[in-house]
């Protein structure tokens, strides 16, 4: 029937065909089709319009830009994550586009980034990456949710710690911080409080011995984290509590210890989050993406301040030149900046320069 109808309707306007088929589809709405997209569904105006839009919006290499000439230091970039090689949860979804991600970062004004080491293996990978790409520096440490690696290591916790220290000693040209270290009580299923606490202390000791600042993690563990840091603060040169999502009171205690606070999309989810970020002194503020996680999403309270939008495709429909939906990357630093500047009612160039200078000061 539809083939016959379409053969007779060639002279008709597309809008007329769409209206007719729209009415027809509406009438047969109660029926369910076994295929995900039946012929009727594909002919419905919604699908016709969506297909037309997709076909007329190709990606290109200019999907990100930096018209204001801003400089960014992304202080939280998990560039060793397999997503940047096209692999998601162990499944290869598209080609390795790591070089394209790094190229977009440069185009967006990200001329420096701190590549996070989440454990010993990732720290080794981060260092290798930083020696290949200019402007990249690394952290060396073990994330609180992976602290059981200290226990599982050949030779035990002391041997694991010594491996971290040896790695730092051999690569001081690119290593800029100890971490990611801290406490995470939101995901105790990965590593218990009893395991996290002593190995956080061990990494504080490591920072004290090496003279490096700390890249710190605090999630749902404010009381223990703040108590430990208040006791140990004078032993380390400095640090940043990255991806901050805590309360105003916690933020004030962190500032009282002369530490910096890192802000990304996870820090900008709720109105309460925005009120806290609004109060961070400009000389204590650092910006980050925490990519491939913590993007600024349309559901976030801060999204209304976002002006920079980039073309993106689902990973299953990967297209060169496009960002991947749901995969954050350093080129999106502009979005974090725009939200932070927007809620503070400050010019973007003022906030960007302050955050960049702060980052250089801490990780010089």
């Amino acid at each position: 029937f539809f083939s016959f109808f379409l053969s007779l309707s060639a002279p008709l306007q597309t809008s007329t065909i769409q209206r007719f088929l729209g009415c027809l589809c509406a009438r047969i709405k109660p029926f369910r089709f076994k295929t995900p997209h039946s012929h009727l569904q594909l002919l419905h105006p919604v699908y016709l319009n969506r297909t037309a839009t997709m076909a007329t919006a190709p990606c290109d290499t200019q999907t990100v830009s930096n018209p204001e000439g801003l400089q960014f230091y992304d202080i939280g970039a998990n560039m060793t994550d397999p997503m940047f090689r096209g692999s998601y949860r162990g499944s290869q979804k598209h080609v390795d586009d790591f070089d394209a991600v790094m190229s977009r970062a440069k185009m967006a004004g990200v001329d420096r980034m701190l590549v996070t080491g989440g454990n010993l293996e990732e720290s080794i990978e981060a260092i290798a990456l930083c020696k290949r790409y200019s402007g990249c520096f690394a952290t060396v440490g073990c994330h609180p949710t992976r602290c059981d690696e200290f226990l599982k290591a050949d030779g035990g916790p002391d041997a694991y710690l010594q491996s971290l220290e040896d790695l730092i000693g051999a690569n001081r040209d690119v290593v800029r911080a100890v971490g990611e270290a801290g406490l995470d009580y939101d995901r105790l299923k990965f590593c218990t409080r009893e395991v996290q606490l002593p190995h956080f202390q061990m990494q504080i000791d490591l920072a004290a011995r090496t003279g490096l600042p700390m890249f710190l993690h605090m999630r749902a563990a404010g009381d223990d984290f703040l108590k430990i840091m208040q006791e140990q603060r004078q032993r380390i040169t400095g640090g940043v509590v990255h991806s901050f999502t805590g309360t105003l009171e916690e933020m004030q205690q962190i500032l009282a210890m002369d530490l910096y606070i890192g802000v990304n999309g996870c820090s900008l989810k709720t109105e309460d989050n925005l009120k806290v970020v609004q109060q961070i002194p400009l000389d204590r503020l650092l910006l980050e993406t925490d990519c491939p996680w913590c993007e600024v999403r349309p559901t976030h309270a801060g999204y209304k301040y976002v002006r920079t939008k980039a073309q993106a495709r689902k990973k299953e429909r990967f297209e060169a030149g496009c960002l991947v939906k749901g995969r954050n990357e350093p080129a999106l630093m502009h979005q974090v900046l725009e939200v932070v500047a927007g809620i503070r009612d400050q010019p973007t160039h003022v906030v960007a320069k302050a955050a960049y200078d702060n980052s250089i000061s801490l990780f010089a």
Side-chain angles (χ1 to χ4, degrees), residues 159-178:
Y160 191 90
L161 186 68
Q162 188 61 52
S163 294
L164 294 175
E165 188 164 358
D166 291 345
L167 189 61
I168 292 171
N171 298 282
R172 290 300 292 254
D173 56 326
V174 294
V175 178
R176 290 292 184 271
V178 171

Side-chain angles (χ1 to χ4, degrees), residues 284-349:
R284 294 284 101 187
L285 174 70
L286 304 184
L287 300 179
E288 58 177 291
T289 59
D290 203 23
C291 62
W293 319 106
C294 287
E295 63 186 326
V296 182
R297 297 182 179 180
T299 55
H300 290 181
Y303 190 78
K304 56 182 172 285
Y305 296 100
V306 172
R307 301 193 311 273
T308 299
K309 308 288 176 67
Q311 296 181 69
R313 296 284 186 266
K314 291 182 179 180
K315 56 184 178 291
E316 295 83 2
R317 294 173 178 249
F318 176 82
E319 184 177 335
C322 259
L323 281 71
V324 177
K325 283 187 177 180
R327 187 189 72 176
N328 198 7
E329 62 176 76
L332 296 176
M333 281 284 283
H334 283 269
Q335 294 187 341
V336 179
L337 169 66
E338 287 160 4
V339 178
V340 173
I343 61 178
R344 299 167 68 94
D345 195 25
Q346 292 178 306
T348 51
H349 71 274

Side-chain angles (χ1 to χ4, degrees), residues 29-80:
K29 193 173 182 180
F31 290 95
R32 295 183 180 274
F33 296 90
K34 293 181 180 180
T35 56
H37 298 293
S38 72
H39 295 302
L40 287 178
Q41 287 173 316
L42 290 171
L43 287 168
H44 192 282
V46 171
Y47 284 81
L48 289 170
N49 289 338
R50 185 197 304 176
T51 303
T53 301
M54 290 172 61
T56 57
C59 286
D60 56 57
T61 56
Q62 301 303 313
T63 190
V64 294
S65 61
N66 184 27
E68 296 179 76
L70 302 174
Q71 283 182 294
F72 294 99
Y73 194 142
D74 186 350
I75 63 106
N78 298 288
M79 302 310 297
T80 62

Side-chain angles (χ1 to χ4, degrees), residues 10 55 71 111 184 188 245 259 283 287 308 322 335 341:
Q71 283 182 294
D111 61 20
D184 189 322
L188 291 172
T245 58
L259 296 171
D283 64 353
L287 300 179
T308 299
C322 259
Q335 294 187 341

